[in-house]
Amino acid sequence: MSSTDLPMAHGGIGNAVSDSLTMIGRSIRLTRRQVDTLFMSIILPLLMMALFVYVFGGAIDSGTEYINYVVPGIILLCTGYGASSTAMSVADDMNSGMIDRLRSMPIRSSAVLTGHVVASVTRNALSTSIVIGAAVAMGFRPNAGLTDWLLAIGLVLLYVLALSWLAAGLGAIAKSTESASTLSFFMLFIPYLSSAFVPTSTMPPVLRVVSEHQPITPIIETVRGLLTGTPIGDDGWIAPAWGAGLLVVSFTLAVRLFRRRTRR
C-alpha cells in the first residue's frame, strides 16, 4: 500500500494539514510565475463579455438590460477557464516526475491535488473580481444587499470547488498537458448550453431541455436573481443541490483517479 492510500500518513492529521499547506504555497507560487495563463483566464472572459454586450446584446431580448443579464453567465464562464488551467497544471506534475520525487520525501503526494485546487480557487477569486469590476465599468448595476452578495459568492465558490476537483481528476489521468486541455474542454463549452447568454425560452425544444436540466442554468439563474433581483423560484434549492452533488462526485473521482494513476 502506498502513502497515497493512507488517510493519515506521516504522523496523522497535523502532518496532513502541513503537507497540504506546503503544496498550496507551491501551487500559488507557480501561479504567480505563470503570468500568461493567469492573464488569459482573465482576458478571455472580458473579451467574451465585451463581445456579447457590445456586438450581440442589442439583438438579444433578455427582458432587462443585457449586461445585467449576461454578467452572471460570464462569471461562471470565467471559472471554466480557471479550472481548465488547473487540469493542465496537475497533468504537468503527473507527467514531469514530480509525484515520483515526492515519494522519496516525508510528504503526502495526494496533497498535490489540494494545493492545485486551492490555487484554482485563488485564481478564480482574482479573475472574478476583475470581471465584476470591468462589468460595473461597462454598466452592470446589481441591486443586491450584503446577504445577497454573500449567498451569491458562496454559491459560486461551491461551483468553483466542484469544478476544480473535477479538473484535478482529469489532470491526474491525462498523459500530457495538451490532453488535459482537451479533456477539460467541456468546462469551457457547457456554459454556452445554458441560460448564460440567452433565455432558455428562445432555444429549440431539444436544446431547451438540455439547457434546463444541467447544473449551470440553475446556478446562473440563482446568482442572477441574487444580484439583480430577477425571480429565482425552485433554482434557489436546485442550484446548491447541484453544486454540493458535483463537489462530492468530483472530489471522490479526483482522489480515486489520482490513486489509480500513482499505483502504476
Side-chain angles (χ1 to χ4, degrees):
M1 182 180 293
S2 68
S3 63
T4 314
D5 301 314
L6 298 174
M8 293 185 291
H10 308 307
I13 296 177
N15 281 2
V17 172
S18 176
D19 293 347
S20 296
L21 290 175
T22 298
M23 290 296 102
I24 289 169
R26 169 184 175 268
S27 296
I28 291 176
R29 287 193 297 273
L30 289 175
T31 296
R32 287 161 51 190
R33 296 171 188 169
Q34 297 169 345
V35 179
D36 54 339
T37 301
L38 182 60
F39 177 77
M40 291 304 295
S41 69
I42 296 172
I43 197 65
L44 286 177
L46 289 177
L47 290 175
M48 291 299 300
M49 182 166 60
L51 176 66
F52 275 91
V53 170
Y54 294 127
V55 178
F56 303 136
I60 298 175
D61 181 13
S62 61
T64 183
E65 289 291 330
Y66 187 66
I67 190 167
N68 291 334
Y69 181 89
V70 79
V71 167
I74 294 294
I75 290 173
L76 265 68
L77 184 68
C78 188
T79 65
Y81 284 112
S84 177
S85 64
T86 299
M88 291 186 286
S89 296
V90 172
D92 184 60
D93 276 351
M94 299 299 296
N95 295 288
S96 66
M98 174 67 181
I99 303 301
D100 293 331
R101 290 194 293 273
L102 288 179
R103 284 183 176 138
S104 63
M105 302 170 62
I107 188 170
R108 291 164 57 98
S109 57
S110 59
V112 171
L113 294 185
T114 302
H116 282 295
V117 168
V118 174
S120 175
V121 173
T122 303
R123 285 194 303 270
N124 274 292
L126 175 62
S127 58
T128 300
S129 298
I130 293 174
V131 165
I132 292 176
V136 171
M138 294 168 62
F140 178 52
R141 295 296 180 264
N143 54 17
L146 178 60
T147 300
D148 293 329
W149 272 106
L150 291 176
L151 290 173
I153 291 171
L155 182 57
V156 172
L157 177 60
L158 180 63
Y159 177 72
V160 169
L161 279 171
L163 209 60
S164 297
W165 276 110
L166 178 58
L170 295 175
I173 61 172
K175 301 299 183 181
S176 66
T177 55
E178 291 77 12
S179 62
S181 177
T182 301
L183 288 173
S184 59
F185 174 76
F186 74 93
M187 297 181 183
L188 309 180
F189 180 73
I190 196 170
Y192 296 98
L193 298 178
S194 72
S195 63
F197 302 106
V198 297
T200 58
S201 59
T202 66
M203 299 178 181
V206 174
L207 188 56
R208 180 177 179 178
V209 170
V210 174
S211 176
E212 292 179 346
H213 294 85
Q214 52 113 325
I216 306 293
T217 292
I219 293 174
I220 288 176
E221 291 299 325
T222 302
V223 173
R224 183 176 288 135
L226 289 170
L227 297 184
T228 65
T230 56
I232 295 177
D234 290 341
D235 290 329
W237 67 265
I238 294 175
W242 263 116
L246 285 173
L247 178 57
V248 171
V249 171
S250 298
F251 175 79
T252 303
L253 184 66
V255 171
R256 290 184 177 178
L257 292 176
F258 179 83
R259 287 178 175 175
R260 181 181 299 178
R261 179 75 181 273
T262 53
R263 286 195 187 111
R264 296 176 182 174

